[in-house]
Amino acid sequence: MTQNPKTLRNFRIVLWSLVALVAIGATALYLFKPPARPLGVTGQAFELASTKGGEFTQADLKGKPSLVFFGYTFCPDVCPTTLAETTAWRAQLGVSADDLRIIFVTVDPDRDTLDKVKGYVEGFDPSIIGLVGDQAQTDAVKKAFGVFSEKKGEPGDPYYLVDHTALVYLINADGTFQSTVAYDEASDTAVGKIKRLIAG
């Protein structure tokens, strides 16, 4: 049966009008209720032992802004430098641990016990929170932040090094990701980012 050209034209007008209405509705929904950002970076769940006692999960990222850094206690350069810098940035801004947490997560569960991490981080500042897990828990928190780490050295060598992501993750008081500070980033730039983080 041959379709009437006028009928086809009217059908197309109605169809495209519906498409436009759906697009407008989706845009309005996004503007008035944007998608929720995941806790951490990817939203992956994790649970680690804390040097402050008890367990620390992705839900515990909420409450106050945080600087989160991944490393290990045997790290020869990047980790001690970064921990020293984070405490210096906080002091420069004149804020306390009640206003800005510093959290260190080990990527070396084979050597880093809770006691070892506690002594390590508190050597930089007693308020720093250290987080430790087994291999499966470490893998989960790495996924939550999109972190890479890999052992380097001969099998069985107790003095192996670990290549790892050398970023400081800036986490908002609502537990969501804001930005990062790169290793060797200019101090003024880093402090500016952290100031915006605290301001909310």
Side-chain angles (χ1 to χ4, degrees):
M1 183 174 65
T2 303
Q3 294 286 345
N4 185 311
K6 186 175 181 181
T7 302
L8 282 174
R9 186 176 68 252
N10 289 340
F11 175 75
R12 286 179 183 144
I13 290 170
V14 170
L15 183 62
W16 283 112
S17 296
L18 288 172
V19 170
L21 283 172
V22 169
I24 290 168
T27 301
L29 182 63
Y30 180 86
L31 290 174
F32 292 106
K33 189 178 179 182
R37 292 185 295 176
L39 295 181
V41 176
T42 69
Q44 169 83 24
F46 66 86
E47 181 176 325
L48 300 164
S50 169
T51 56
K52 300 303 180 185
E55 301 299 312
F56 191 103
T57 73
Q58 70 280 3
D60 293 308
L61 290 171
K62 292 182 176 181
K64 63 185 69 174
S66 303
L67 306 180
V68 182
F69 176 71
F70 288 74
Y72 64 113
T73 64
F74 288 82
C75 181
D77 42 30
V78 174
C79 303
T81 298
T82 302
L83 284 170
E85 286 179 334
T86 53
T87 57
W89 295 333
R90 190 166 65 182
Q92 184 177 338
L93 287 167
V95 297
S96 69
D98 290 331
D99 304 306
L100 179 67
R101 293 183 295 192
I102 299 173
I103 300 172
F104 174 86
V105 186
T106 181
V107 294
D108 188 13
D110 291 339
R111 293 183 297 188
D112 282 349
T113 64
L114 194 62
D115 285 343
K116 184 180 287 292
V117 170
K118 180 178 175 65
Y120 180 73
V121 298
E122 291 184 359
F124 293 91
D125 189 297
S127 69
I128 296 176
I129 300 168
L131 301 181
V132 178
D134 60 24
Q135 190 60 60
Q137 291 172 317
T138 302
D139 289 342
V141 72
K142 284 164 56 180
K143 285 182 181 178
F145 284 83
V147 165
F148 164 85
S149 72
E150 182 179 48
K151 289 182 181 179
K152 292 292 183 181
E154 295 297 323
D157 180 4
Y159 304 106
Y160 61 84
L161 298 177
V162 183
D163 285 347
H164 61 89
T165 301
L167 294 172
V168 176
Y169 294 83
L170 278 59
I171 304 298
N172 292 303
D174 64 1
T176 61
F177 170 75
Q178 177 165 308
S179 62
T180 61
V181 174
Y183 182 63
D184 273 346
E185 187 165 326
S187 180
D188 288 348
T189 305
V191 169
K193 289 180 179 180
I194 297 167
K195 192 173 183 178
R196 289 191 292 275
L197 175 73
I198 298 169

